[in-house]
């Protein structure tokens, strides 16, 4: 567990109280977001505007990038939970919250949702995942962390993860600074998939699930992404959005998730989830 790091600072920075036009105070929803492999939280930069009112976006960078770049990267479930679970446990008791994860981030938020449930925390309004095949589905990138560069880069290039130009050349900036992070994130993704399949640490969550796919995503194709329904005992809704693997930077996704946050927090106790 880190000290008061970027995770805890981000979580504590968002408040829950809001004042309505009639002076009444109502709840805000805290939306925890985790990004794709190799990334920080840049894809969520515009989300605080795009999600609409009464939703506080808390984009959580994993260690080893952006403001946490001097911290050791996490490569397995135990280290991930040591880093993220405690501040999220505390936040879960303060008011309504939801989680969204993109690509690798989807495996992270699934893992966190399962761990929060196992710890007896108040459940999220919903779990949302995007651009990620479910844990039981294998991909070419599973186990690819230790491939030589000339075998790994074509796989990453198919997703649009490799920049054009000299940065991706041997000795270039991207090869030196981003590729090592990507390799460790692939190790983390593999361990989280294995943990999800282990009855001691995985299995379905009891949470409403929103599933998003990009219509031009070459890896997490919409038909396969819908198989996330096996990973919850709650209701599921799947949406296909315009875009490739990195559609989280568009306007449609945060708008839909913001609407889901407001609808769920306003629903009567015991009402069936609707999205």
């Amino acid at each position: 567990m880190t000290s008061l790091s970027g995770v805890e600072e981000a979580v504590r920075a968002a408040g829950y109280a809001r004042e309505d036009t009639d002076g009444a105070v109502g709840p805000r929803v805290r939306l925890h977001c985790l990004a794709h492999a190799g990334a920080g939280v840049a894809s969520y930069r515009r989300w605080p505007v795009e999600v609409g009112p009464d939703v506080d976006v808390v984009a959580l960078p994993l260690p080893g990038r952006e403001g946490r770049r001097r911290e050791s990267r996490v490569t397995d479930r135990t280290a991930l939970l040591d880093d993220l679970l405690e501040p999220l446990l505390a936040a879960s008791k303060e008011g309504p919250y939801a989680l969204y994860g993109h690509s690798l981030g989807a495996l992270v938020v699934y893992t966190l949702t399962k761990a929060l449930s196992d710890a007896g925390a108040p459940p999220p309004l919903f779990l949302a995942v995007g651009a990620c095949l479910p844990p039981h589905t294998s991909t070419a990138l599973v186990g690819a962390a230790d491939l030589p560069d000339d075998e790994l880069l074509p796989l990453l290039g198919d997703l649009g993860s490799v920049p054009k130009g000299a940065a991706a050349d041997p000795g270039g900036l991207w090869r030196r600074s981003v590729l090592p992070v990507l390799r460790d994130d692939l190790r983390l993704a593999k361990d989280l998939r294995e943990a999800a399949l282990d009855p001691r640490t995985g299995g379905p969550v009891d949470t409403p699930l929103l599933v998003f796919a990009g219509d031009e995503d070459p890896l997490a194709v919409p038909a396969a992404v819908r198989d996330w329904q096996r990973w919850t005992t709650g209701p599921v809704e799947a949406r296909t959005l315009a875009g490739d693997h990195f559609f989280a930077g568009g306007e449609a996704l945060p708008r839909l998730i913001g609407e889901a946050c407001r609808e769920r927090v306003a629903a009567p106790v015991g009402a069936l989830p609707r999205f």
Side-chain angles (χ1 to χ4, degrees), residues 10 18 34 36 58 76 105 117 121 135 138 162 193 213 218 222 229 232 245 258 265:
R18 66 171 174 83
L34 278 297
H36 57 273
V58 185
D76 58 45
S117 176
S138 182
V162 180
R193 287 183 180 277
Q229 63 188 344
T232 182
H245 191 68
V265 80

Side-chain angles (χ1 to χ4, degrees), residues 68-218:
R68 307 189 68 193
R69 63 184 177 278
R70 297 186 184 278
E71 300 177 42
S72 298
R73 296 188 289 271
V74 297
T75 58
D76 58 45
R77 178 181 181 273
T78 298
L80 175 75
L81 295 182
D82 283 347
D83 185 72
L84 290 176
L85 183 58
E86 187 174 322
L88 291 183
L89 274 171
S92 72
K93 300 171 184 176
E94 295 176 1
Y97 70 102
L99 300 102
Y100 174 73
H102 196 83
S103 195
L104 166 67
L107 296 173
V108 173
V109 294
Y110 158 78
T111 301
L112 291 169
T113 301
K114 183 64 177 173
L116 287 165
S117 176
D118 292 345
L125 299 173
F126 58 82
L127 168 65
V129 297
C132 183
L133 296 175
H136 65 277
T137 304
S138 182
T139 75
L141 286 172
V142 174
D146 297 312
L147 290 176
D149 285 2
D150 61 354
E151 296 181 35
L152 177 58
L153 264 60
L155 298 177
L156 297 174
D158 289 342
L159 294 178
S161 297
V162 180
K164 306 293 184 183
D169 291 342
L173 179 62
W174 184 87
R175 286 269 193 120
R176 290 184 285 110
S177 61
V178 179
L179 186 57
V181 179
L182 273 168
R183 287 186 180 278
D184 276 348
D185 283 353
L186 291 175
R187 295 182 180 100
L188 175 61
K190 183 175 184 292
D191 192 77
L192 296 184
R193 287 183 180 277
E194 292 173 352
L197 295 170
D198 187 331
R200 298 169 298 175
T201 53
V205 296
D206 186 19
T207 304
L209 181 64
L210 285 174
V211 183
F212 296 94
D215 62 357
E216 297 183 3
D217 190 334

